[in-house]
Amino acid sequence: MNLGMDMGKNMESWVEVDPNSDFSIYNLPYGIFKTKSSEFRPGVRIGNFIIDLSQLAELGYFDSLPTTDLSVFYESVLNPFIAQGRDHWTATRKRLIELFRKENEDLKKNKDHQKAILVKVEDAEMGMPVEVPDYTDFYSSIEHATNVGIMFRGKENALMPNWKHLPVGYHGRASSIVVSGTPIHRPKGQTKADDADIPSFGPSKLFDFELEMAFITGVNTDLGESIPVEKAEDYIFGMVLFNDWSARDIQKWEYVPLGPFLGKNFGSSVSPWIVTMDALAPFRVEGPKQDPEPLDYLKEKGNSNVDIRLQASIITSKGAEKVISNTNFKYMYWSMRQQLAHHTVNGCNIRVGDIYASGTISGPTEDSYGSLLELTWRGSKPISMPDGTERKFLQDGDTLVMKGYCQKDDIRVGFGEVSGKVLPAK
């Protein structure tokens, strides 16, 4: 059952939800939260409240679910819940919709149960939604890859020969992925100025963000097993916003011949709420035309992309804020299905909780680029901030905020935000 297609029924919740909220009853994303009186545990967001899934289980509201293992709703990460499989994800989402629809009286009239189950967002602290076994970062925006290629190789050689034939990616560092709100220290490493004979060591001077989305897998596979492109989404639990912080000067010196290392592995930030593929289903759109036609194992049918409106802004240490990018996930050349099919075609096994980032998402116009490297064109076009300062790259004290949401008619399904403050190098 595709619950995302239930949109035509004009669902409303008895929980008050602002029309501009990312967290309508059509969304119901999963996260991990704690309060002053409790430890981290699973929750679902609706409006400005968090639904405590452990309390729903405790009070018997999940007794009808097709599982006898309700202990997953008491865990400190979502991996055990996700590992129960798609049927359980869908059944839980269906039950939550039933409980919180305006027409349902079960919980609506029980004020005591509401007090136990509903937690105000301001009273909670969000944690990492999953324990991340592995992390892969792709390079799947043709606009971004072209822009970077022009900067470093010229227009004639902007895209490498393999780029239009396969989803390029690299394996990142899972241990340094942190939840939104966690500050990031400016990384240190080797850099080499163009006019220098030898490299030098110190804090990165070209510290950047990368506006990305990521999907999280919900099924374990065996070594040697491949995932067909047409079945790839059966293995995907949901999506998050993702900021893959980048030290451009460190990366430039180190990346040949094996790719990113210290320029990337110091930190990546994720939004705390995982939006399910069921919730995103109504916002599916056709992806860009792929030319040349991909090989058979990458050929897909139907709407492969999602219309997710994305925004990035900088808040200076003095509180001055400026939106610097507006783009959209629908521009992605290589889809999530193709990324996962390619990732496993050689027999690479995947695990519950793995994160797969899209790579920087850039659109066709200058204001839709997804990194400062592009927005300032390597620093040659500084961005003017409201407090009179300029930005070529991120400065200590800056906070980078990314937001994303889907909108169709009056229905909004969003991701909230992922933010991180830049601290000086340790």
Side-chain angles (χ1 to χ4, degrees), residues 211-231:
L211 175 51
E212 307 190 19
M213 298 295 302
F215 66 86
I216 296 172
T217 45
V219 181
N220 294 322
T221 62
D222 295 325
L223 195 65
E225 181 180 349
S226 299
I227 297 174
V229 67
E230 65 271 14
K231 295 183 178 179

Side-chain angles (χ1 to χ4, degrees), residues 270-283:
V270 298
S271 52
W273 296 107
I274 305 175
V275 178
T276 64
M277 299 310 295
D278 278 337
L280 294 170
F283 309 99

Side-chain angles (χ1 to χ4, degrees), residues 287-359:
K289 178 177 174 56
Q290 295 182 329
D291 184 21
E293 191 175 55
L295 297 179
D296 285 346
Y297 79 96
L298 290 171
K299 289 180 182 177
E300 58 181 345
K301 298 178 181 178
N303 292 336
S304 59
N305 280 11
V306 187
D307 184 359
I308 306 173
R309 306 175 193 186
L310 299 167
Q311 183 183 90
S313 60
I314 293 175
I315 305 174
T316 70
S317 58
K318 297 180 180 178
E321 182 173 4
K322 182 170 184 174
V323 174
I324 57 173
S325 176
N326 285 287
T327 189
N328 198 301
F329 184 68
K330 69 182 180 182
Y331 297 131
M332 298 303 293
Y333 187 88
W334 294 105
S335 73
M336 292 182 288
R337 300 170 185 167
Q338 291 173 317
Q339 289 168 349
L340 193 55
H342 182 67
H343 199 300
T344 62
V345 73
N346 66 342
C348 174
N349 57 316
I350 68 170
R351 291 183 281 185
V352 172
D354 282 351
I355 288 183
Y356 307 78
S358 61

Side-chain angles (χ1 to χ4, degrees), residues 107 114 119 155 160 187 195 205 215-216 254 362 396:
L107 187 54
Q114 287 180 33
V119 177
K155 285 187 177 181
M160 298 299 284
D195 57 355
K205 296 178 181 177
F215 66 86
I216 296 172
E254 75 180 358
S362 292
D396 292 347

Side-chain angles (χ1 to χ4, degrees), residues 138-155 157-160 163-164 210-211 248 286-290 305 310 325-335 358-371 373-375 377:
F138 287 96
Y139 191 55
S140 293
S141 162
I142 192 169
E143 289 84 1
H144 173 67
T146 300
N147 289 338
V148 174
I150 289 172
M151 287 182 212
F152 294 102
R153 292 184 298 272
K155 285 187 177 181
N157 300 299
L159 292 179
M160 298 299 284
W163 199 92
K164 285 191 172 184
E210 292 190 343
L211 175 51
R248 300 296 182 185
E286 188 176 0
K289 178 177 174 56
Q290 295 182 329
N305 280 11
L310 299 167
S325 176
N326 285 287
T327 189
N328 198 301
F329 184 68
K330 69 182 180 182
Y331 297 131
M332 298 303 293
Y333 187 88
W334 294 105
S335 73
S358 61
T360 304
I361 303 165
S362 292
T365 58
E366 290 186 6
D367 61 347
S368 64
Y369 296 163
S371 68
L373 178 68
E374 298 163 272
L375 291 164
W377 209 255

Side-chain angles (χ1 to χ4, degrees), residues 92-107:
T92 304
R93 175 175 162 78
K94 181 180 179 181
R95 179 60 177 147
L96 288 168
I97 289 175
E98 289 173 351
L99 283 170
F100 287 90
R101 285 189 76 154
K102 200 170 187 176
E103 299 84 357
N104 193 306
E105 302 285 339
D106 294 347
L107 187 54

Side-chain angles (χ1 to χ4, degrees), residues 34 112 114 132 267:
K34 73 173 183 178
D112 290 336
Q114 287 180 33
V132 185

Side-chain angles (χ1 to χ4, degrees), residues 120-136:
K120 293 180 180 178
V121 169
E122 59 265 30
D123 294 337
E125 175 188 342
M126 300 306 298
M128 273 293 294
V130 291
E131 182 179 358
V132 185
D134 281 299
Y135 156 50
T136 298

